[in-house]
Amino acid sequence: MANPPTTGTAAPPGRRTALAEGADRLRSAATTEPGRLRAVGAVLALLVVAFGAVTAWQTSDRAAAADDVLHKSQPLSSAAADIYRSLADANTAAAGGFLAGGQETAASRERYEDDIDTAAAKLVTAANNSDAGSPSTAAITKLNTLLPEYKGLVERARTYNRQGFPVGGAYLRYANQKMQDEMLPAAEDLYERENQRLQDDYAAAKPYPWAAIALGVLALAALAWAQHRDYRRTNRVLNHGMVAASAASAVVLLWLVVGHSVARAGLDESYEHGVRSLDVLHDARIASLKARGNENLTLVARGAETVKVDDTTVDAYDHDFTEEMATLGKGLAAAAELADDRAGEKPVATAQSNMAEWKKRHAAARAQDDNGNYEQALALVIGAKGATGACFDGVDASLATALDHERHEFRQAAGDGLDAMGGLPLGAAVLAVLAAAGALVGIGRRLSEYR
């Protein structure tokens, strides 16, 4: 007996996903010239747009950092240096006024008040531009707290000094100690932090945008390959759309390389012939101020403060004066080496001449004081004629002139560097869009031949 026939239906084939079907269509299209042309066009457009986007991004970051160098971090660094200078000068003026006693001039008193007001104003500027909770903010807060305390001590010293009480000298020495041990270190810390901020901005502004440059070279190479491929298949020398895309990409790449090189050169010059000189001149000016303050305090203390040097007991303030004058000499020598034109060299040379005369007059004053001739020593320090004060004023005025010149040099060079990057981010983006459109038009012309 025959077996009954089996019944049943065959299993339907598995349903394919849309992704698999799309992949099949892409593979099928890639085997045809129109499909390959579409793929080439997409890749070219993507490369050119990526080149423009990365160029715009990297140059925007560098331009922003260069702008900060010119308009924010360097001015803040100078403001921090001015805070230090104003505090040191106020301390010097206070000691000079104390020595004059009842004969303190209105000019001396006004100088002290101007210095205090300048320091307070610069602290407000620094506070407005510092980040909340940053170390700079802590230094600014500390200085704002100490400044009225210092002023109170100076006023007490003046009051007792006018009344002839010796305790006035103790108050002035205490005020000087607060300035030297607390206020000036805080101001120096603020200056160093703002200087580091300036260095960070330089570091962000100067590096070459290698990613953008690499993408630009890759985009140009891809465009050249696409045009060569088109020539081999059609014997047409030029594809106008891709020629336009290549030209636009080449302009962006050239603009990027040349513009950034010029900007980098300007920033380098602003640092080498601006910032470095400014740093040295600021340090030299501060050293001269501290030297003058110590010179005055030598006569205020009259041997009350001493220190041992190589087993020899010497006046502490006179010892500090000698050290600050050595620092001033080194600073002026460095400034002379960095000065790159006559306008920068002349005030430094004048300051060096005044410093040499200052040392001679100081030695004469110390000789008179050591011999018990206090009034003669006082006249040689704060007198109207032939005194060390005139030499100090000459040094300070010359350094102020040199600082103004170097600030101008910095602004000029940094401004040139910033200008070299002007318009590059926007220009790169626009040209990249035009280049991508040109590439697509060029491919579209070829595709139209298959319709």
Side-chain angles (χ1 to χ4, degrees), residues 81-82 85 191 273-289 327-328 330-340 343-349 351-352 395-409:
D82 287 341
R85 187 207 65 78
Y191 175 55
H273 302 297
V275 173
R276 287 184 63 197
S277 294
L278 286 170
D279 287 345
V280 169
L281 289 168
H282 279 308
D283 290 344
R285 197 177 189 191
I286 288 167
S288 73
L289 289 164
T327 301
L328 173 61
K330 292 176 182 177
L332 291 177
E337 291 180 2
L338 290 170
D340 59 343
E345 294 169 355
K346 185 177 179 181
V348 175
Q352 288 176 315
V395 170
D396 192 64
S398 296
L399 288 174
T401 300
L403 281 164
D404 286 340
H405 172 71
E406 296 302 334
R407 286 193 191 100
H408 175 75
E409 294 279 290

Side-chain angles (χ1 to χ4, degrees), residues 203-217:
K206 289 172 58 177
Y208 275 103
W210 292 115
I213 292 172
L215 274 173
V217 172

